[in-house]
Amino acid sequence: MLSYPNQNDRGLFLGIWSAMRNTGSIVGGSINFYTNYKRSSAGGIAWSTYLIFVGFECTGVIWGLMLSPTSKVRHRDGSRAATSTDISWAEEFKALWKHMQNRKTWLMFFPAFYSFFYGGTLGTYLALHFSVRARALSSLITPTVTIPMVILYGRLMDQQRWSQMHRAWIGVLIWLIPQVGCFIWIGIEYSKFGTEKAALDYVLNFVTLPWYHVRCLMNWWIQYWLQYPHSHTSRWAEAYLPYILIFSTGYLTQLSLYWILGTFSTDVKSSARTGGLFRAFETLGQAVS
């Protein structure tokens, strides 16, 4: 995605690429939610969920074989996508080593590392403090919210009214400011949790009441709410909102970084090396988290 689109369409195509990734997440989130929506307690998801996902992953080879070769890719004006000549493995490793000595390559290390690092830490936050079905619902909500965001963000990055430098700064600030604020927000939420275990849920589970008088009903409601504050929907929303904001803007983080990487060079092989190293840094962040 760094070399295929034209310079003025790179943001849009990166947005489409990110949206396609999240389309698969919607399918997976729907399956996850369907198999776990009745489980309002803490714990792990149903084992059948994993079997369904493994089955989908086994079909990856089929979809990979259906991809068109680069020589068949055409831009909207009919022109061919950029290609390059083949070189030997020895020459490629030499070029990669030289590429790694470039300062720009290591300039992207920390943002690339962070762009996947938050996933593991926030996944733990969700697992420790939310019910099974709340986590299942999250796996459906997050990609649904993200898809229109990345498309609009990609279009914004292609706006020609601003210079390339201004667009880069605008793109970074759009995700940086809300993420900093949400990390502070989550810190406040952790202070509220304390050492108590929680299983925040989005639906309040009512029980059959032996009382029919309004005053008795209100007294029971107050006692129930005080005894089980974790089951109150508003408490779930308060703790979940910073999570979804960080995760959805996290895709904007990756999109903006890919857009910036695409400005480093117009050479296909150089862009491929940049993208490969970027993915390596991302994976390192994911492994550490």
Side-chain angles (χ1 to χ4, degrees):
M1 293 308 300
L2 298 180
S3 303
Y4 274 10
N6 290 320
Q7 182 178 357
N8 296 334
D9 293 329
R10 183 178 293 117
L12 173 61
F13 279 89
L14 285 171
I16 294 174
W17 167 69
S18 184
M20 291 171 64
R21 292 173 58 192
N22 282 279
T23 301
S25 298
I26 289 180
V27 176
S30 301
I31 296 171
N32 189 13
F33 182 61
Y34 177 76
T35 55
N36 296 281
Y37 74 95
K38 293 182 179 180
R39 306 182 65 184
S40 59
S41 60
I45 63 175
W47 63 270
S48 58
T49 308
Y50 293 106
L51 295 180
I52 297 173
F53 288 161
V54 169
F56 273 114
E57 290 175 359
C58 290
T59 65
V61 176
I62 300 174
W63 307 115
L65 294 174
M66 294 174 64
L67 293 175
S68 298
T70 306
S71 59
K72 294 184 178 181
V73 176
R74 298 290 185 274
H75 295 143
R76 65 177 66 186
D77 59 0
S79 60
R80 294 175 179 270
T83 57
S84 61
T85 57
D86 294 332
I87 61 175
S88 65
W89 281 102
E91 292 175 329
E92 179 60 41
F93 280 118
K94 289 180 181 178
L96 180 61
W97 174 251
K98 185 177 180 180
H99 196 81
M100 292 177 63
Q101 295 175 341
N102 191 328
R103 290 184 178 181
K104 287 184 178 180
T105 300
W106 293 100
L107 183 64
M108 68 180 181
F109 173 80
F110 288 107
F113 182 91
Y114 166 75
S115 68
F116 265 69
F117 174 80
Y118 69 85
T121 55
L122 289 183
T124 302
Y125 169 76
L126 207 66
L128 291 177
H129 303 297
F130 292 80
S131 68
V132 174
R133 67 178 175 188
R135 302 200 306 268
L137 179 63
S138 175
S139 66
L140 177 60
I141 291 178
T142 303
T144 303
V145 171
T146 300
I147 287 177
M149 287 180 60
V150 293
I151 295 294
L152 293 174
Y153 185 84
R155 294 295 296 174
L156 176 67
M157 298 300 288
D158 287 336
Q159 293 297 316
Q160 301 301 309
R161 69 182 70 178
W162 303 304
S163 67
Q164 191 177 79
M165 180 66 72
H166 285 164
R167 279 180 283 164
W169 275 109
I170 291 172
V172 170
L173 291 176
I174 285 176
W175 59 261
L176 181 61
I177 293 175
Q179 290 215 3
V180 170
C182 286
F183 271 114
I184 296 173
W185 187 347
I186 287 181
I188 296 173
E189 293 301 320
Y190 263 113
S191 67
K192 294 180 181 179
F193 291 137
T195 58
E196 296 181 0
K197 293 183 178 180
L200 300 177
D201 195 42
Y202 58 89
V203 176
L204 186 63
N205 295 322
F206 293 96
V207 298
T208 303
L209 299 179
W211 311 290
Y212 297 93
H213 196 276
V214 175
R215 180 177 296 178
C216 293
L217 178 62
M218 292 300 297
N219 289 337
W220 174 87
W221 170 257
I222 294 173
Q223 293 175 7
Y224 185 86
W225 190 88
L226 291 175
Q227 185 177 1
Y228 302 104
H230 59 276
S231 62
H232 199 269
T233 302
S234 62
R235 182 70 186 93
W236 163 80
E238 177 188 339
Y240 179 67
L241 188 57
Y243 170 89
I244 192 173
L245 286 175
I246 290 179
F247 245 88
S248 57
T249 55
Y251 284 97
L252 304 186
T253 304
Q254 298 164 25
L255 199 155
S256 68
L257 293 176
Y258 273 111
W259 186 88
I260 293 172
L261 293 178
T263 66
F264 282 6
S265 175
T266 57
D267 179 66
V268 175
K269 288 192 176 299
S270 178
S271 296
R273 296 180 192 111
T274 300
L277 289 171
F278 179 77
R279 285 294 298 151
F281 298 153
E282 282 183 332
T283 306
L284 179 61
Q286 191 173 24
V288 172
S289 69

